[in-house]
Amino acid sequence: DLAAWLRDLPKANIGEYSRQLYMALTELSQLKATPDLRLQLLEQLRPEVARIIRQLEKAHLLNSVLLDARANRIANLCHSLQHHLNSGYKQIAADLKTKKSGMLVLAIQRTLHGLFLSLSRSYLAYRVVPQGLWFEAHQMYRLISHYGLMAQNVKDPLLETVQEQTLEEAYACVLLLGCARANQMRQGDIKVLVEQLPGWAGLVDIQGVDEPQTVFAVALTTDTPPRYRALLNLEGRSHILGLNTHRLVEALKPQAQSSGRLSASLLEQLSSAWGDIAKRGYPRTASNQTLELCIGMSAVHFHLAGQKSFEDSMRLERPAASKL
């Protein structure tokens, strides 16, 4: 019945198409169902949600860095659609967390990939990462680790450069995107990065935080992304993982010399973000003077334009026509 309903959706009408999918996901979240039935329903809805979000992004979100009111509403809709889908798979994982099974493996991979997509869309729209996203991703990894499911392979038709991934690779995709400094990239580079990450995730190692070549520390009980190990004092802290990105950085170096889809500037930026943090090249100097800071490009524009917002300063008035 659901398959027939999906076939009859008005897919040429993006607004109605997205509205009906949103209502279906909302109803499914309230439906009392066995994990098996819920999984079957979500697997049919998942490609439809991916399709409509791609259409909405292309039409409204990837044309401008500054989103107007309508584009912001579209961004919120995309987030809600993905969030409801993620929540459905997370519910299955929660229902099955006391029983190691193939359904549990699939539900965890779908949850992690959904969180990966939510994170990528936040970066694409230059928006704040949804609250709780990192904590949910870390929760999934703790469940993976508890059952020793790291090497379990899962086929996923939504992956673009590979056909399947292990659960550890699904988690590594989220971690790598979170420490890639994507907020400093152009939208086109972010899209390329998101496509490539599933194929690169097998080149990183999730290991003990004190093991050699650990670059990033991941706090599993927090709602925070990976952070440079060298900048943290982890004495007395528990539930901390390490992320070793050295193999991936080395693999990117030859690509920087070839003319492929990934630009040399993007590869250089990724190597810098995922490589060892640069050490200070000059000593600190003590001072007790007053320092005024202007943080962020929006704030810089505001003060340079005489305390006028960037949006207002871009609405330039046409000069009055000269009279002869």
Side-chain angles (χ1 to χ4, degrees):
D1 289 344
L2 178 60
W5 179 79
L6 289 171
R7 283 195 300 270
D8 293 336
L9 282 177
K11 298 179 181 179
N13 185 337
I14 296 179
E16 183 62 18
Y17 183 23
S18 58
R19 189 189 71 83
Q20 293 202 34
L21 277 178
Y22 177 81
M23 294 299 296
L25 286 168
T26 304
E27 290 178 12
L28 181 55
S29 67
Q30 300 169 359
L31 179 69
K32 292 182 179 180
T34 63
D36 179 47
L37 175 59
R38 190 181 302 278
L39 186 61
Q40 291 182 55
L41 298 176
L42 286 171
E43 285 292 281
Q44 293 191 66
L45 287 165
R46 185 171 182 251
E48 301 297 330
V49 171
R51 183 180 296 112
I52 189 60
I53 289 179
R54 281 196 300 268
Q55 292 178 7
L56 291 169
E57 282 181 343
K58 184 176 180 180
H60 301 284
L61 302 183
L62 301 181
N63 301 320
S64 174
V65 173
L66 295 173
L67 302 183
D68 57 21
R70 184 164 187 264
N72 268 306
R73 289 196 296 272
I74 297 297
N76 290 335
L77 173 60
C78 291
H79 168 69
S80 296
L81 287 167
Q82 189 69 60
H83 174 72
H84 281 300
L85 190 67
N86 296 350
S87 296
Y89 284 111
K90 186 183 175 186
Q91 179 63 52
I92 296 170
D95 290 341
L96 297 173
K97 66 181 181 181
T98 58
K99 181 182 179 182
K100 181 177 176 180
S101 65
M103 279 197 298
L104 176 62
V105 170
L106 185 62
I108 292 173
Q109 188 274 337
R110 297 297 197 249
T111 302
L112 285 170
H113 188 255
L115 294 173
F116 173 65
L117 294 177
S118 293
L119 183 63
S120 69
R121 290 180 185 120
S122 298
Y123 289 139
L124 277 169
Y126 302 102
R127 307 181 99 206
V128 176
V129 174
Q131 186 176 3
L133 184 148
W134 284 108
F135 182 69
E136 290 184 14
H138 300 331
Q139 272 190 317
M140 289 296 108
Y141 186 77
R142 294 182 74 180
L143 191 55
I144 294 169
S145 180
H146 175 73
Y147 283 114
L149 299 172
M150 286 80 77
Q152 288 287 323
N153 262 314
V154 179
K155 292 185 177 181
D156 189 345
L158 296 189
L159 297 174
E160 299 190 51
T161 56
V162 294
Q163 294 183 336
E164 59 184 18
Q165 62 181 180
T166 66
L167 295 188
E168 185 166 85
E169 289 169 353
Y171 180 58
C173 281
V174 188
L175 298 182
L176 285 170
L177 184 56
C179 55
R181 303 178 194 163
N183 61 307
Q184 300 175 15
M185 296 179 186
R186 295 175 297 179
Q187 287 178 325
D189 285 343
I190 296 173
K191 286 185 68 66
V192 171
L193 173 62
V194 170
E195 291 172 6
Q196 296 296 322
L197 276 177
W200 292 348
L203 296 173
V204 301
D205 298 299
I206 297 175
Q207 58 188 35
V209 72
D210 294 322
E211 290 187 32
Q213 295 193 315
T214 290
V215 181
F216 296 95
V218 184
L220 294 179
T221 57
T222 68
D223 188 28
T224 56
R227 293 175 177 171
Y228 284 111
R229 170 68 182 87
L231 298 179
L232 301 175
N233 179 9
L234 300 177
E235 186 177 351
R237 296 285 301 274
S238 58
H239 302 294
I240 309 292
L241 284 177
L243 182 65
N244 179 354
T245 52
H246 282 88
R247 283 196 299 136
L248 175 56
V249 172
E250 287 300 313
L252 294 181
K253 290 180 180 179
Q255 296 189 44
Q257 308 301 322
S258 62
S259 56
R261 188 177 179 192
L262 281 78
S263 66
S265 61
L266 173 58
L267 290 169
E268 183 179 347
Q269 182 174 355
L270 292 173
S271 296
S272 173
W274 292 333
D276 289 314
I277 187 170
K279 295 182 179 179
R280 180 180 294 275
Y282 50 89
R284 295 180 182 271
T285 302
S287 175
N288 58 1
Q289 298 179 11
T290 299
L291 178 67
E292 293 185 359
L293 295 178
C294 182
I295 300 175
M297 292 302 296
S298 297
V300 171
H301 280 294
F302 177 78
H303 289 288
L304 289 179
Q307 299 192 345
K308 182 185 292 186
S309 71
F310 179 66
E311 292 85 350
D312 290 338
S313 64
M314 291 301 292
R315 299 190 186 100
L316 302 176
E317 297 181 5
R318 291 185 177 182
S322 59
K323 295 181 179 179
L324 298 177

